Amino acid sequence: QAKMWSFVAVVIWLKIVHLAMGCPLDIRDYGAKIADPSHPDAFWENNTHAIQAAFSAASLSCHRVLVTGGDYASADLYMTSNVDLTIAQGARIVTAPGNATGALLHIKDCDNATVRGPGTLYGNAERYISGYSPIDDRFEPSSPDGHRPRVILFHNASNIQLLDGLQVRNASDWHVHIQASRNIYIDNIHVEGDWRYPNNDGIDPDSSINVTIVNSYINVADDGICPKVCLDLPKFLSLWIRKNASAHTATMAVLGRLGT
């Protein structure tokens, strides 16, 4: 019995050291499952709960979450304050069509959080198509603009970073919508959408304060970067689009329009 308690004490000690070192919490340890390619939406509900549980646990412990190993179908996830999410190379969190509503990842009422690559948040736009015009070489969406989920939706967020080669791909609507938020820093992300798909804006800063976009690549059919002010929201202040710390040049690699 003494040996058993010694073993338990060692395990607890190792767990404490593990957390103290800031080791990330793997979403698979919370029940997330990689989708079967033949059933890409499999486990979406399970994964939504598992990833959300990892966020909650990380906010109380090591503050880091790791996604690795493959594709994880999911619906609306809500980032937690003081959490650093890393999506590893080759890993994707994928929108589950018909189940996601506002966005794949909500950063709402959230402070001091980071989302890192080089893995992918994937919007699954090809699953929101009702038709195709060969004359226009254009897809027809299955629902109106504004009724399909974004990939990332900020609202009332502050001190948020998107970093380290994060891939934001193939949104069914806007890729990154930054709404009523402040102190948002985007550095070295890759945003890409199908040029045949309408209204797939790259990054839309909306009624926000102090938004910085640097060293990033945006390749979409519609507006590449589209600052705006929506009704009944605060005014827009301080948007910096720059590269290599030069605030006087807009040398971003943007394929698409700089919207107004």
Side-chain angles (χ1 to χ4, degrees):
Q1 189 173 10
K3 288 184 178 180
M4 182 189 72
W5 285 113
S6 295
F7 175 77
V8 170
V10 169
V11 170
I12 293 173
W13 180 81
L14 288 173
K15 285 284 188 182
I16 292 171
V17 170
H18 183 78
L19 293 176
M21 291 174 64
C23 294
L25 304 184
D26 191 319
I27 62 170
R28 293 173 296 184
D29 293 336
Y30 290 82
K33 297 180 180 180
I34 297 171
D36 181 336
S38 63
H39 299 89
D41 296 337
F43 314 124
W44 74 266
E45 190 170 14
N46 173 83
N47 290 343
T48 303
H49 292 307
I51 297 169
Q52 202 64 58
F55 287 166
S56 297
S59 69
L60 301 174
S61 57
C62 69
H63 305 290
R64 296 173 62 197
V65 172
L66 175 65
V67 179
T68 187
D71 286 0
Y72 299 87
S74 183
D76 299 63
L77 296 167
Y78 289 83
M79 194 71 179
T80 307
S81 294
N82 304 310
V83 168
D84 188 312
L85 169 64
T86 297
I87 306 174
Q89 183 71 46
R92 302 193 307 172
I93 302 177
V94 180
T95 298
N99 300 299
T101 54
L104 175 58
L105 179 63
H106 297 256
I107 306 179
K108 180 181 180 182
D109 301 328
C110 181
D111 179 62
N112 188 33
T114 299
V115 184
R116 304 177 187 272
T120 303
L121 291 165
Y122 190 77
N124 240 338
E126 64 271 24
R127 302 279 303 280
Y128 290 85
I129 292 170
S130 63
Y132 171 71
S133 168
I135 296 174
D136 299 323
D137 189 24
R138 197 76 162 165
F139 289 122
E140 181 67 29
S142 57
S143 55
D145 293 349
H147 293 269
R148 305 183 301 274
R150 273 69 160 146
V151 177
I152 304 176
L153 174 59
F154 293 74
H155 186 83
N156 191 36
S158 58
N159 305 308
I160 309 296
Q161 300 182 98
L162 306 181
L163 303 172
D164 294 350
L166 176 69
Q167 311 280 314
V168 185
R169 290 182 175 268
N170 225 27
S172 67
D173 208 288
W174 301 345
H175 285 78
V176 180
H177 184 189
I178 304 168
Q179 185 182 70
S181 297
R182 63 175 62 225
N183 301 331
I184 309 302
Y185 185 77
I186 298 173
D187 187 358
N188 183 28
I189 76 167
H190 187 118
V191 178
E192 190 158 7
D194 193 318
W195 273 65
R196 297 167 297 175
Y197 203 90
N199 201 47
N200 64 350
D201 290 17
I203 302 175
D204 284 25
D206 174 6
S207 309
S208 294
I209 298 172
N210 194 22
V211 177
T212 300
I213 305 168
V214 298
N215 304 317
S216 295
Y217 176 82
I218 303 169
N219 180 359
V220 294
D222 208 337
D223 300 322
I225 298 173
C226 187
K228 61 189 67 186
V229 177
C230 290
L231 296 176
D232 302 322
L233 288 174
K235 64 177 66 175
F236 188 94
L237 295 171
S238 302
L239 169 65
W240 298 94
I241 305 170
R242 56 193 175 95
K243 183 177 180 181
N244 298 329
S246 171
H248 302 290
T249 58
T251 53
M252 292 273 296
V254 177
L255 301 180
R257 297 179 293 176
L258 182 62
T260 56

